[in-house]
Amino acid sequence: MTAETIDHSTLARLVDAGAVDGAHVVGKTGGWSVVIRYGKAERPLAAQRSRQVRVFKRMDTLVSYLKDVGISKFDVDAADYAPQTASRPDRAAALRRTHEAAEYDKWFREQVEEAILEADDPNAIWIPHEVVEEEMARERAELLARLKGGAK
């Protein structure tokens, strides 16, 4: 089976054209996927948004889907099926990250507001860009000289 998938609209057109040779339902951890056989190709059905292999959590949902699209006979491989779904992330950790992000956002907005107030202050002292560049070039040269002097 290749990594290429087939989407719902392509599957519907193939079924309407009578080109589908079979459907193979495959059990996996957390649900079921379906591989469509047509011509010499085998392609798993893709989820609409993610374009990843679609996994149906419930077999009855998959059966209804296949019947609705026009496939009423299929084979099932349940060897790797495991009903448990992947565990949800720790809710406490997720909530903590959300609070940390909100605190950082609040701090950042306060810093921006403070900078705007300082910039709007009529007594603000503005340093021209050229002066800053000259000071940085001087400091860089001093640092390089110290590094070269210390490397001897």
Side-chain angles (χ1 to χ4, degrees):
M1 184 166 65
T2 67
E4 292 182 47
T5 57
I6 185 172
D7 64 13
H8 170 76
S9 62
T10 303
L11 175 58
R13 287 194 304 271
L14 287 170
V15 169
D16 288 344
V20 173
D21 298 323
H24 181 65
V25 173
V26 181
K28 47 184 59 195
T29 300
W32 305 91
S33 65
V34 62
V35 177
I36 305 300
R37 292 187 297 265
Y38 58 100
K40 293 183 179 183
E42 283 190 348
R43 302 279 188 270
L45 180 66
Q48 281 185 307
R49 283 179 232 136
S50 71
R51 309 308 300 159
Q52 300 296 314
V53 173
R54 181 171 180 184
V55 177
F56 293 83
K57 290 185 179 167
R58 296 173 31 147
M59 176 62 88
D60 59 338
T61 305
L62 173 57
V63 171
S64 294
Y65 172 81
L66 289 173
K67 286 179 75 176
D68 287 347
V69 82
I71 299 173
S72 58
K73 292 184 180 184
F74 50 88
D75 58 273
V76 177
D77 176 357
D80 293 328
Y81 174 71
Q84 72 271 14
T85 58
S87 62
R88 290 179 56 190
D90 178 30
R91 296 311 306 151
L95 193 56
R96 185 171 41 258
R97 286 190 305 273
T98 300
H99 285 294
E100 288 170 357
E103 286 175 20
Y104 175 80
D105 185 65
K106 180 181 177 218
W107 171 84
F108 183 80
R109 289 176 186 275
E110 288 170 353
Q111 295 298 307
V112 169
E113 183 65 29
E114 185 178 323
I116 290 171
L117 290 173
E118 287 177 11
D120 287 343
D121 185 346
N123 297 321
I125 299 172
W126 294 92
I127 302 171
H129 180 73
E130 296 78 21
V131 172
V132 173
E133 282 184 326
E134 290 170 7
E135 288 180 15
M136 288 303 299
R138 181 185 47 75
E139 288 180 20
R140 193 175 309 113
E142 288 175 4
L143 180 60
L144 286 172
R146 277 194 286 159
L147 288 172
K148 286 180 183 177
K152 290 182 182 177

